[in-house]
Amino acid sequence: AALCKIAVIGVAQMRYGWCGEAMLAASTSASLWSDVHGQSQASYLRNRYASFSATTLRGTLVFTGSGTIVASAAEQRAIAEWALNRFEAANVNYLAADYGQRLFWQEASQTRCGSVWVFQTGLALAWNCSGTAVVATDFLTPAQMQQFYKWIDSGTTWNIMRIGPNGQRISLSLWSNPGGQLTVRTDTENMLGFANDVYEQLTAEDSEP
C-alpha cells in the first residue's frame, strides 16, 4: 500500500512527512521556477484564490487563501499537484531534474521563434528563441488546465513534428502519466492549437507595460 503523505505549506516554510510520524521542515520556495508575476508561487496562489477544501486525484487539500477567485476543479487539481511537487522536492529521494514537465512545444520560423514548457502543476514557461532564458511564467487558465489534465491522464504520449513550405518547423511532445502508448495522430491539431495559444498568452503578458 502507498504511504500516506502530508504537508503543511506556508508562504516561506513548510512541514512535511508521513502520516502519524514526526514532520520535517523545509523551504516552500524549492522550485526551480519560483516567480509568477513577481511573486513566489506560494504567495501567488494564496493571494489569488479563496479558501476551499477538496478531494482531488492528487489527494485531499485544505487551502487557506486571501484571494477572491473560486478555484475550479481543474485549479484545485493544479494546487494539489503543486503541493505534491513541493513535498517531493523536500524529500531527500527527489531527483533535482524531475520537475514534472509534461509538454514541450517549439516553433522556429522567419516571423516567430520560441518554446513552451508546461508542468504537471499547470505552470507554463515561455522561452526565448535560443532556449537560454525564460521570457514569461504563469499558470494555465482554468479551461486550459482542464484540457491539459485530460491529455496527461489519458495514458497517451504524443510526438509531433511539422515542417512548413517556408522552412517553418514546429515540434511538440506531451508525456502522459505512466502506462501510455505512443501515437502521433489523435487530437494533434487541438494540441498544436493549445500550445500555440499558451505561447501567445504568455508572450503577450510579457510585452505588456
Side-chain angles (χ1 to χ4, degrees), residues 36-65:
V36 179
H37 299 297
Q39 304 177 69
S40 70
Q41 290 180 29
S43 295
Y44 176 82
L45 294 172
R46 183 195 64 179
N47 295 334
R48 180 174 176 81
Y49 294 105
S51 299
F52 67 87
S53 298
T55 300
T56 76
L57 187 66
R58 284 294 173 261
T60 300
L61 185 68
V62 178
F63 179 85
T64 302

Side-chain angles (χ1 to χ4, degrees), residues 109-182:
S109 69
Q110 294 179 349
T111 58
R112 187 171 68 167
C113 181
S115 60
V116 165
W117 296 7
V118 183
F119 296 83
Q120 188 152 327
T121 59
L123 190 71
L125 280 66
W127 289 79
N128 64 0
C129 186
S130 62
T132 57
V134 176
V135 176
T137 305
D138 203 349
F139 285 92
L140 300 176
T141 68
Q144 288 169 344
M145 285 181 183
Q146 184 177 23
Q147 178 60 74
F148 177 65
Y149 287 133
K150 285 181 180 178
W151 281 327
I152 67 172
D153 292 340
S154 69
T156 303
T157 295
W158 285 261
N159 283 329
I160 303 165
M161 174 65 75
R162 292 276 177 88
I163 300 177
N166 298 318
Q168 177 195 42
R169 299 176 64 89
I170 300 175
S171 58
L172 184 149
S173 295
L174 184 142
W175 302 275
S176 66
N177 288 317
Q181 296 181 346
L182 179 65

Side-chain angles (χ1 to χ4, degrees), residues 72-138:
S72 67
E75 289 170 299
Q76 292 173 357
R77 159 83 178 273
I79 296 172
E81 295 278 8
W82 178 87
L84 177 60
N85 183 269
R86 294 286 79 74
F87 178 97
E88 297 293 353
N91 189 337
V92 294
N93 295 320
Y94 183 72
L95 297 177
D98 181 13
Y99 289 91
Q101 184 184 359
R102 293 299 183 203
L103 183 146
F104 169 82
W105 171 92
Q106 184 177 55
E107 178 177 323
S109 69
Q110 294 179 349
T111 58
R112 187 171 68 167
C113 181
S115 60
V116 165
W117 296 7
V118 183
F119 296 83
Q120 188 152 327
T121 59
L123 190 71
L125 280 66
W127 289 79
N128 64 0
C129 186
S130 62
T132 57
V134 176
V135 176
T137 305
D138 203 349

Side-chain angles (χ1 to χ4, degrees), residues 20 24 32 44 60 136 146 167 190 206:
L24 302 173
L32 181 62
Y44 176 82
T60 300
Q146 184 177 23
N190 288 340
D206 179 63

